[in-house]
């Protein structure tokens, strides 16, 4: 039976990326060696990093003055690296859920943290709109897509201070104007590559302004100056990332990806809104195109375990909701084909007929 992978992360990757990665594990570029057993400084591997950086720049239209680096430590290490490198006195954060809170917690170790707004009052089911970004903040931090609560900031924010965005779960899912950001970071394991890799797109002029000592490995400048090769980078995830970026370019780049993502999300949300059994948890105007959260309507609440079983038996994987929301979460990342979304919808409709 075909499995439809709705896992939130690590999550679905394009089949072709997995196959190309598997081939390189067995034989890297016909070298007779595995990608796992060559030096990252081998003349063969440098082009992998170079092409991955070049494709990042091309696919996201990254302007001059920004650097792309590959790092270890996941997005969670970025929660600390961002303030380490950029917070001198005060930073502003928009609190849209679990990941924002974790980012704020780390920043508090480096300076004053202003929470400009929060949607905690409604279990983070919306994106706050009315807030003021302090003009004396070193930066303004957002989580563009809230993987757990299924809300997303779909418009680039106009801010008087550099916007720092955690785009772990929506990078490359829609066109963005990178010039409106000071730094964009994320873990790779949602839309890009296997776990073990993080990326950062850094506006160079923001660096070098804080007065503290920054440990070498936590200093963005180190990784920029050394082309992500200061120490041994996560070689295999970078190799996979390159395959994903090539795949993305091949299908028509980010604008085409965005079109497909809009179509998938609309299809699924329309069914949630139509089907008498289900109800979406996120405010309609803030619905994520990547993580679709829904529960069963009050009168059918008892059927949640039954639906989970029903859908699992039909090949749906990973649709159980996060414990902080309950119900269901279908993560429909870039690599997911619309036919898998349709398969889930078929389950929802069949299940509706039974009740
Ligand atoms: C998954 C996720 C993280 C955590 O990523 P790690 O790489 O596991 O540290 C952070 N932020 C967002 C928005 C995420 O979806």
């Amino acid at each position: 039976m075909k499995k439809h992978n709705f896992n939130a992360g690590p999550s679905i990757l394009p089949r072709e990326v997995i196959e190309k990665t598997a081939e390189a594990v067995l034989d890297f570029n016909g070298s007779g060696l595995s990608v796992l057993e060559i030096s990252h400084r081998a003349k063969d591997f440098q082009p992998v990093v170079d092409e991955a950086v070049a494709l990042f720049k091309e696919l996201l239209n990254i302007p001059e003055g920004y650097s792309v680096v590959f790092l270890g430590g996941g997005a969670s290490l970025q929660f600390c690296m961002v303030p380490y490198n950029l917070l001198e006195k005060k930073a502003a954060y928009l609190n849209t859920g679990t990941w924002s809170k974790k980012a704020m917690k780390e920043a508090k170790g480096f300076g004053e943290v202003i929470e400009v707004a929060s949607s905690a009052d409604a279990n983070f089911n919306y994106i706050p709109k009315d807030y003021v970004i302090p003009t004396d903040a070193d930066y303004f931090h957002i989580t563009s897509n809230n993987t757990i609560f299924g809300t997303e900031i779909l418009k680039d924010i106009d801010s008087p201070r550099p916007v720092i965005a955690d785009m772990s779960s929506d990078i490359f899912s829609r066109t963005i104007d990178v010039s409106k950001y000071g730094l964009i970071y994320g873990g790779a394991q949602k839309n890009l590559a296997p776990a073990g890799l993080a990326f950062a797109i850094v506006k160079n002029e923001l660096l070098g302004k804080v007065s503290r000592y920054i440990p070498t490995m936590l200093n963005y400048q180190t990784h920029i100056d050394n082309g992500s090769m200061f120490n041994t980078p996560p070689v295999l995830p970078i190799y996979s990332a390159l395959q994903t970026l090539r795949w993305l370019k091949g299908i028509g780049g980010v604008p085409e990806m965005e079109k497909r993502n809009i179509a998938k999300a609309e299809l699924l949300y329309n069914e949630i809104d139509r089907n008498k059994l289900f109800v979406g948890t996120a405010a309609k105007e803030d619905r994520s195109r990547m993580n679709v959260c829904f529960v069963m309507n009050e009168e059918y609440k008892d059927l949640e375990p039954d639906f989970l079983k029903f859908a699992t038996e039909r090949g749906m994987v990973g649709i159980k909701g996060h414990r902080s929301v309950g119900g269901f979460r279908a993560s429909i990342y870039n690599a997911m084909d619309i036919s898998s979304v349709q398969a889930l919808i078929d389950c929802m409709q069949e299940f509706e007929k039974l009740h």
Side-chain angles (χ1 to χ4, degrees), residues 73-77 79 99 143 145-147 166 168-169 187-190:
S76 297
L77 187 61
F79 296 162
W99 298 116
T143 312
N145 182 63
N146 297 282
T147 322
D166 174 357
S168 294
S169 52
Q189 67 274 21
K190 278 106 184 191

